[in-house]
Amino acid sequence: MTQRRFALILFAVSLPLAALLLLPVGYLIVRAGAVEPERAITYLTRPGTLRVAGRSLLLMATVAAAACAVAIPAAWLTVRSDLRGRRAWTVLLTMPLVIPSYVGALALVSALGQRGTVRGWLAPLGVERLPSLYGFWGAWLALTLFSYPYVFLSVRAGLRGLDPALEEASYTLGRSQLATFWHVTLRQLLPSISAGALLVALYTLSDFGAVAIMQYNVFTRAIYLRLSLDLELAALLSVVLIALTAGLLAAVALAERRGTYYTRRTPRPPRRVRLGRWQAAAQAFCGLVVLLALVAPMGVLALWLVNGLQQGEALRDVLAPLQRSLRAAGLAAAVSGVAALPFVFLQVRYPGPLTGLLARGAYLGYALPGVVVGLAFVFLGANVLHELGARVGQADYRSLGLLVFAYTVRFLPQALGPARASLLQVNPHLEESALTLGRSYPRALISVTLPLMRSGVLAGAALVFLTVMKELPITLLLAPTGYDTLATRIWSASSEAFYARAAAPALILVVISAVSLVYILEPDG
Amino acid sequence: MPRIRLMLAAALVAAALLSIVLPLPDNRAGHLLAPAEAQGTTLTIYSGRSEELVGPVIAQFERDTGIAVEVRYGDTTALALTILEEGARTPADVFFAQDAGALGLLAKEGVLAALPAYILDSVEPRFRSPEGLWVGISGRARVIAYNTDALDETDLPASLFDFLAPQWAGRLGFAPTNASFHAHLTAIRISAGDDAARAFVAGLLANGARQYERNSAAVAAVAAGEIDAALVNHYYLFRHLAEHPDAPVANYYFPGDDIGNLVNVAGLGILASSDSKPLAQQFAAYLLSRSAQSYFAQETFEYPLLIGMDADPRLRPLSKIETPALDLSDLDDLGGTLDLLDDVLVQ
């Protein structure tokens, strides 16, 4: 098969896929259109709306910057330095991703709040109150701590695919290590960094749980307030989020325009940088991040568990929910990992406005709060799938298939970013060599390109897996009736303040995810 | 080390494969396609009340009647919107809501069927829809939860509006996005007027009232001494005491018929599109039976609404709470309340 024909086939596959991905976005635009234009304009331009939108943008920019500031050094330390215990650090530094930001924020308040646990420890020293965590700083801290792993995983994958020859050339030309990192390494990592930072930024825009607990008044709160009654106005506000996302995507596309991220050589493992006297500082840095993002929330969960057990609270069986969580997350990760490939191939190998649009379109719905996406699927399910289902004798349109599909639509961007970054690092001449040696184009891709992309594709699937494990609003709306997962158990118990019952599944969620990380994160040799 | 990794990896892959291949304990929920379901023999409930609270009662109903029940748990508001999005094709037969506002919304949209009189008459008229479209199952009183180390009962004001006074600056908490607050604010709008209601919320914020995302967080903040008092539903106190028996928190009811004393309900409605209405009515009647009502009284510390049932002795009896003279069904102007809140909160 020729390259051209293959590209056409990919395109033919991707178009309907992209249309499916954009279903919720399209649905929301239609619903938003039902708001009378005059009311829409008044509502969107009043000072209050603009103010909360401004706060959301501020939070988005600062969280993305802080996540990069934490994740890039951490990724470099675990991939490129002789940091002691780097395998353990890698797993520990990734784990905060599985802590639902809602649980994490609650735990932060409980640990670091004005009257929290830490204040209790400091009380003998005469500390009456800690500075308030509520407001911008609390929201910023919580969102940074529980989202930086998006950048960490993506940059790790990027660093591992980076040819050290470029850096070595820079050293030969007399640049210092720091200057080389700044001018060469970071530049080459740009696609990985922007893929991760984009996920963090959109996650921040869409979050409601953490900002609500931190009492910071942002745009999603206006959406939730409206969701109590009319979906039309909530949809209108959601369309604003879609527009913001589109703007952000355009900015990122401009920033990355036309770089070469591969080399002509076979990448080989780089020499590890000796940290020397910086070893202790590096350990302290990783330790501090893990302390805040992982140990603190886990500690609070453990306290809840012990406290509740002491008061005789009965725990519930968690094995069946665990099995359901693993099944849904595993399927969603596999489907997303595969579905990402055609988009990424088209975007990277056949760059152009159309293929770029195709791949970036998948991100459009990513900044929407999950419940909005879930409701869109409820409508589509009840009105489209139901008709089909009725013909084969099904009463409820909900099924594991629909659930996995909805997860894929929602979280595909997490798989796209790292996969794209890793394909950018594969020299297309390798595929051409395989062609001249007589391989057909698809076989060349499978035997040459895919293995080289492995680290990025796996990282992307891992992100989807971990995110689905903790996903709540879509699960609540679309899972088959009775399909309760670890996340719904946590929600059900914590919403009624049964903290011990919430803590048990939450701890299991974190531990099981950690075990999967050992498998997902490849050894660094 | 590599061997351990390999073994872990193998174990994980095996577990993942097993979890996909093996049937789930409840065989119905794990298939890629939804299971076929015989119409009219299964009752499907959308419950905005959590499984932790109503799961045991529903299980008991299944055991006592032999009726198979499927429950979809979720957020009350999201489930109400789900029903509206699903339209006549909703699989739901019963909507069990945490507050009357969501039931009022569905009643207004015309998706609820009239309930039979024998169910409606189990509760006082003030706890059911005047059109007979929904019925209250359990009652929740709005109260002030206060920190007993910081305050005596005598320190608390005679009216909700007194919390606007400077002495309460930074000491009160509430949950402004919570449905129970929305219902309360609607009541304030009806009894005192829109302007007074707007001034009340704006005044609370200007007075430094803390905005919690839910009632339980506000009660925990009172117990921790972060704030001195919070405007919440009465039963969060008992939920908190169950895990922290020594917490210094108590409930305060306003004297007389102050607007601070609203009693709201959790209740249910039957979907007009249901083809299992007799089963749904059986379920409603069951929840209003003495055994189910005493479950709510003893386990969730709510007010049983079945006429003649007593609440937990630690609660002020329903008959002693002088609720302001208004019907819960008057509280269905949620739209006006949200417009007001939107103006005051989205700032």
Side-chain angles (χ1 to χ4, degrees), chain A residues 153-223:
Chain A
L153 278 185
S154 171
V155 170
R156 267 183 59 89
L159 273 172
R160 294 161 52 83
L162 200 63
D163 186 348
L166 291 169
E167 292 166 357
E168 285 157 13
S170 167
Y171 296 141
T172 331
L173 294 171
R175 273 197 173 138
S176 70
Q177 260 185 22
L178 200 64
T180 300
F181 182 75
W182 191 255
H183 291 288
V184 179
T185 318
L186 270 190
R187 263 227 184 128
Q188 286 292 311
L189 285 177
L190 200 59
S192 308
I193 296 173
S194 68
L198 192 61
L199 292 180
V200 170
L202 298 179
Y203 177 88
T204 306
L205 272 186
S206 72
D207 177 76
F208 180 68
V211 287
I213 288 165
M214 292 303 179
Q215 308 185 2
Y216 190 57
N217 198 0
V218 295
F219 199 74
T220 42
R221 193 183 190 200
I223 297 185

Side-chain angles (χ1 to χ4, degrees), chain A residues 300-501:
Chain A
V300 170
L301 288 175
L303 270 182
W304 285 352
L305 185 62
V306 171
N307 209 354
L309 288 180
Q310 275 172 354
Q311 304 306 330
E313 203 173 282
L315 296 183
R316 302 177 57 196
D317 160 49
V318 289
L319 270 183
L322 169 65
Q323 194 186 345
R324 294 189 198 107
S325 285
L326 284 175
R327 179 184 293 200
L331 285 171
V335 172
S336 305
V338 174
L341 293 176
F343 289 103
V344 167
F345 270 116
L346 282 177
Q347 191 191 11
V348 173
R349 288 291 182 253
Y350 305 93
L354 205 57
T355 53
L357 218 57
L358 206 58
R360 290 180 206 280
Y363 281 84
L364 277 183
Y366 194 64
L368 295 173
V371 62
V372 176
V373 178
L375 282 171
F377 273 106
V378 163
F379 177 83
L380 297 166
N383 292 289
V384 181
L385 287 184
H386 184 90
E387 293 299 315
L388 302 175
R391 281 181 211 159
V392 287
Q394 278 164 12
D396 195 340
Y397 59 90
R398 294 184 182 87
S399 63
L400 188 59
L402 178 66
L403 183 67
V404 168
F405 176 61
Y407 286 146
T408 307
V409 168
R410 174 125 178 81
F411 297 125
L412 187 66
Q414 296 187 348
L416 285 175
R420 170 173 177 266
S422 65
L423 180 59
L424 280 171
Q425 290 177 330
V426 179
N427 188 335
H429 296 312
L430 289 175
E431 289 152 23
E432 285 155 22
S433 312
L435 286 179
T436 49
L437 292 173
R439 290 274 167 92
S440 70
Y441 191 60
R443 285 198 55 195
L445 289 183
I446 289 168
S447 58
V448 176
T449 316
L450 268 183
L452 290 172
M453 289 175 69
R454 206 179 74 172
S455 141
V457 174
L458 275 180
L463 284 178
V464 175
F465 177 81
L466 298 178
T467 312
V468 171
M469 285 292 282
K470 66 175 181 180
E471 205 285 334
L472 186 62
I474 291 180
T475 314
L476 282 178
L477 288 174
L478 293 177
T481 304
Y483 197 88
D484 53 341
T485 64
L486 288 179
T488 64
R489 280 283 172 86
I490 298 170
W491 169 81
S492 161
S494 71
S495 65
E496 297 300 338
F498 288 106
Y499 288 121
R501 268 187 231 172

Side-chain angles (χ1 to χ4, degrees), chain A residues 215-282:
Chain A
Q215 308 185 2
Y216 190 57
N217 198 0
V218 295
F219 199 74
T220 42
R221 193 183 190 200
I223 297 185
Y224 272 76
L225 200 56
R226 278 299 157 186
L227 266 184
S228 336
L229 186 68
D230 58 293
L231 198 55
E232 262 88 28
L233 213 50
L236 178 71
L237 292 170
S238 304
V239 170
V240 174
L241 278 184
I242 295 171
L244 286 177
T245 308
L248 199 62
L249 288 169
V252 170
L254 272 182
E256 279 187 2
R257 213 165 29 168
R258 302 268 174 266
T260 303
Y261 298 101
Y262 55 83
T263 63
R264 294 175 201 296
R265 306 160 44 87
T266 317
R268 61 197 151 76
R271 194 169 50 88
R272 285 189 186 281
V273 174
R274 284 238 167 79
L275 288 174
R277 60 202 166 93
W278 292 99
Q279 180 73 243

